[in-house]
Amino acid sequence: MRLVVAFALVAALTAATTGALTFREARTGVLQQSQDTVIKLLRTQVDRLAPELDVPPGEFALQRFAIEVAGAEPARTWRVLVAYGGLSVTSAPDDPFEELTPALRAAVDRSTATVFQRVDSGDHTSLVVGMSVTFTAGTAASGPASGIQVFLTVPQTTEQAYVDALVTAVERATVPALGLAVLLALLAARGVLRPVRALRHATRSIAEGRLDTRLAVDGSDELADLSHTFNETAAALEESVAELRGMEARARRFAADVSHELRTPLAAMSAVTDVLDEDAAHLDPDTATAVRLISEETVKLARLVDDLMEISRFDAGAVVLHLDEIDLAESLRRTLAARAWTDLVDVHLPPPDVLRGRVDPRRLDVVVANLVGNALRHGARPVRLRLHEGGEGLAIIEVLDSGPGIPDSVLPHVFERFYKSDAARTRTEGSGLGLAITAENVRMHGGTVRAANRPEGGAVFTVEFPLRRDGSTTQRSGR
C-alpha cells in the first residue's frame, strides 16, 4: 500500500507539474500569437488609411477612419476609438469603450510605440492596443506624431476557449497518468512483495517444524540471493535437527536398554540384600555396616532404574493414562498412609466426595508422593498438603515446607532432569528425576506444576489440573 501510494503521489506531482508548465507555455504561446496578429493587422490597416487623413482631422473624418480600421477584422469583433486633442470617436455609436484604462492612455501619450494591455471585463478578457499615428514623407510611419491616437479592443473569447480546452486536456490526462502509475506500482509491488510473502510463509513453515521447506529461486537479484541463502540455512538446520534427533533417539534407547538390562541383576541383588539385612544383627559390626550400606545403595539404584524406565516411556510416547473419576481427597490420604507419612504431614483436604475428578490414580499418587517426599527430604517440618478447587474447574494441590526455600537461580531448573537439589540444599538422596517425572505426569493430565518460595519462608509446589476431561478412559502420551 505504501508503494502504491508513493507511486500515485509521484505521478500526481509529476502530472501536475508537467501540466502546469505545459499550460503556462501553451497559454503564453496562444496569447502571444493572438496579440502579434492583432497588432500587425492594426499597424497595417493604420498605415494604409492614415495618409488619407487631413491634419487636423474633422469629426466625420475620424469617424470614417475608426470604422474603416475596425472593418479590417473579418469577424467584426474589433472596436476602435480614435482621438485627436479633445475630440474622440468610436467605430460603434455611443460605445463607452470602458476597457481603455488611464494607464494605457498615459503610455500612448508618452511614447510613439505601440502598447497593449489585457483587461478583465468580468465575463471575458479583452486585448486593448494603443498607438500614435506618425507621418514621414506623407505616410504613417515612425516619425513626428500627428496627434492622432488609435485604440483598439478585441475580446479574446477564441483564445480563452483554447486555454479552457487545454485545461480540460490536462485534467483528462491526469487521471490516466494516475491510473498508469497505480498499475506500475502494483506490478512493482507484486515483483517485490511476492518473494517476500513466499519467504514469510516459508519461515512460518520452518517454525512449525516443516524443515524440508524450500523457496523457488528465480533471477539473480537481491531477493533471489536471499531465497538462496534461506534454502541453504534451512538445509543446514534440517541436517542439524536430524542429527540431534538421531542422537536424542539413541540416547533414549541407550537409557531404556541399560535400565532394562539392570532390572534383572538388581532384582537378584535386592533379594540378596533382603536376606543379608535379616542376618545383619548376627554379623560383626564392620560386616553389618557394609551390608546395610550395600542394601541402601541397592535400593537407590533400583529407584534410579525405575525412574529411568519411566522417563524412557515418556520420551517414547508409550505412557497411557487410565482415567477414572475418584475422590481426590481420599486418593491423597491413601498416598500418605501407604508411605507412613500421615503423622509427618499436616493435611488440609475437603470433606469426602466434595472434590472429584477424572485422573489416573496411580500417576496422581506418583505426583503427590514425589512432591511430599521432596519436601520431607529437602525442606523442614511442618510440611503441609492442601487440596482445593480453583477457578475454571481446576483442582489445586499445594505442598508447602518450612525449610530455607529454593534459591532464585535454582527455581527455573527444579523440573529439569538430573538437576539435583543438592546444588541448593545440603541434604539429597534423589536421582534428580523425581520432579521431572512429576512434571511429565501433570502435563499428561493437561495441567501445570510450578515451584516458588513463600514470603514467610519455605518452598511451595503448586499443581493445577482440570477436574473433567473429554474423551475415553485412556490417553496416550505423545511428543
Side-chain angles (χ1 to χ4, degrees):
M1 181 58 66
R2 290 195 296 268
L3 188 60
V4 171
V5 171
F7 266 74
L9 289 178
V10 170
L13 180 61
T14 303
T17 303
T18 304
L21 293 176
T22 303
F23 170 76
R24 188 184 67 177
E25 293 299 324
R27 179 178 180 273
T28 301
V30 168
L31 296 179
Q32 185 70 40
Q33 182 180 5
S34 172
Q35 165 192 308
D36 292 346
T37 301
V38 169
I39 293 176
K40 182 178 180 181
L41 184 58
L42 176 63
R43 285 176 176 171
T44 301
Q45 189 71 352
V46 170
D47 287 345
R48 184 177 66 84
L49 298 174
E52 300 176 3
L53 282 175
D54 295 330
V55 179
E59 181 179 357
F60 177 76
L62 290 179
Q63 180 77 37
R64 186 182 62 183
F65 181 74
I67 293 174
E68 290 178 351
V69 171
E73 205 277 319
R76 303 295 180 179
T77 58
W78 282 13
R79 292 163 42 227
V80 177
L81 182 148
V82 180
Y84 180 79
L87 180 64
S88 63
V89 296
T90 58
S91 59
D94 302 324
D95 187 353
F97 222 89
E98 296 176 349
E99 294 85 356
L100 181 59
T101 63
L104 183 65
R105 186 182 288 273
V108 173
D109 291 339
R110 292 193 303 269
S111 173
T112 59
T114 302
V115 297
F116 65 91
Q117 183 180 29
R118 292 188 183 88
V119 179
D120 188 1
S121 302
D123 57 344
H124 66 277
T125 302
S126 299
L127 175 66
V128 183
V129 182
M131 62 181 299
S132 296
V133 178
T134 59
F135 292 98
T136 301
T139 62
S142 58
S146 64
I148 301 173
Q149 296 176 340
V150 178
F151 299 96
L152 166 68
T153 178
V154 55
Q156 295 191 302
T157 54
T158 302
E159 291 77 6
Q160 185 64 42
Y162 289 155
V163 172
D164 292 342
L166 183 61
V167 172
T168 303
V170 171
E171 291 176 349
R172 291 177 178 176
T174 301
V175 175
L178 290 177
L180 180 61
V182 171
L183 179 60
L184 293 176
L186 291 175
L187 293 176
R190 182 184 179 190
V192 174
L193 297 181
R194 183 173 55 184
V196 173
R197 291 194 184 101
L199 179 61
R200 181 185 64 187
H201 294 320
T203 304
R204 186 176 299 166
S205 180
I206 290 286
E208 292 173 354
R210 295 189 289 273
L211 301 181
D212 57 343
T213 303
R214 298 294 184 272
L215 290 173
V217 180
D218 298 324
S220 59
D221 55 5
E222 290 80 0
L223 291 174
D225 292 340
L226 179 61
S227 299
H228 182 70
T229 303
F230 174 85
N231 290 341
E232 292 180 344
T233 304
L237 179 62
E238 184 180 17
E239 182 180 354
S240 299
V241 170
E243 184 178 355
L244 290 175
R245 287 175 176 171
M247 294 173 60
E248 184 181 6
R250 290 192 295 271
R252 287 199 303 265
R253 187 167 57 250
F254 174 77
D257 293 343
V258 170
S259 300
H260 181 74
E261 294 298 328
L262 286 175
R263 296 193 69 167
T264 300
L266 276 175
M269 292 174 61
S270 298
V272 173
T273 55
D274 289 341
V275 174
L276 291 176
D277 284 339
E278 293 178 358
D279 297 335
H282 306 290
L283 300 176
D284 62 87
D286 291 340
T287 303
T289 301
V291 167
R292 293 189 183 94
L293 179 60
I294 291 174
S295 179
E296 291 175 359
E297 295 301 322
T298 301
V299 171
K300 291 181 182 179
L301 184 57
R303 185 183 301 118
L304 173 60
V305 171
D306 290 339
D307 290 345
L308 286 174
M309 290 293 292
E310 186 73 358
I311 285 292
S312 299
R313 283 192 288 271
F314 279 117
D315 290 341
V319 175
V320 177
L321 289 181
H322 298 279
L323 300 176
D324 191 12
E325 185 172 338
I326 62 172
D327 182 355
L328 300 180
E330 182 61 26
S331 177
L332 268 58
R333 290 190 184 94
R334 289 200 204 98
T335 298
L336 298 180
R339 292 162 178 81
W341 290 342
T342 304
D343 297 332
L344 301 178
V345 179
D346 298 334
V347 297
H348 300 273
L349 306 177
D353 288 328
V354 170
L355 192 56
R356 302 181 65 86
R358 289 179 57 81
V359 297
D360 186 329
R362 187 181 71 84
R363 297 196 176 278
L364 177 62
D365 175 81
V366 171
V367 170
V368 176
N370 281 343
L371 293 179
V372 173
N374 183 76
L376 291 173
R377 285 193 303 269
H378 303 298
R381 298 181 64 183
V383 173
R384 290 186 290 277
L385 173 63
R386 297 194 302 205
L387 171 65
H388 60 91
E389 184 175 0
E392 301 180 357
L394 295 176
I396 300 177
I397 300 174
E398 293 179 317
V399 178
L400 307 92
D401 67 52
S402 303
I406 306 174
D408 293 338
S409 60
V410 176
L411 275 175
H413 309 286
V414 293
F415 295 105
E416 295 179 3
R417 300 177 183 183
F418 298 106
Y419 192 88
K420 299 182 66 174
S421 58
D422 60 348
R425 303 181 183 183
T426 57
R427 297 182 294 117
T428 179
E429 299 177 2
S431 62
L433 291 175
L435 292 180
I437 293 174
T438 297
E440 291 288 349
N441 279 311
V442 173
R443 183 187 63 81
M444 284 288 297
H445 283 83
T448 59
V449 59
R450 60 182 181 273
N453 288 315
R454 301 163 58 204
E456 60 272 24
V460 55
F461 287 82
T462 305
V463 177
E464 296 180 354
F465 58 88
L467 289 172
R468 296 288 185 267
R469 298 180 64 91
D470 296 328
S472 61
T473 57
T474 61
Q475 181 156 333
R476 185 173 297 275
S477 67
R479 281 272 173 181

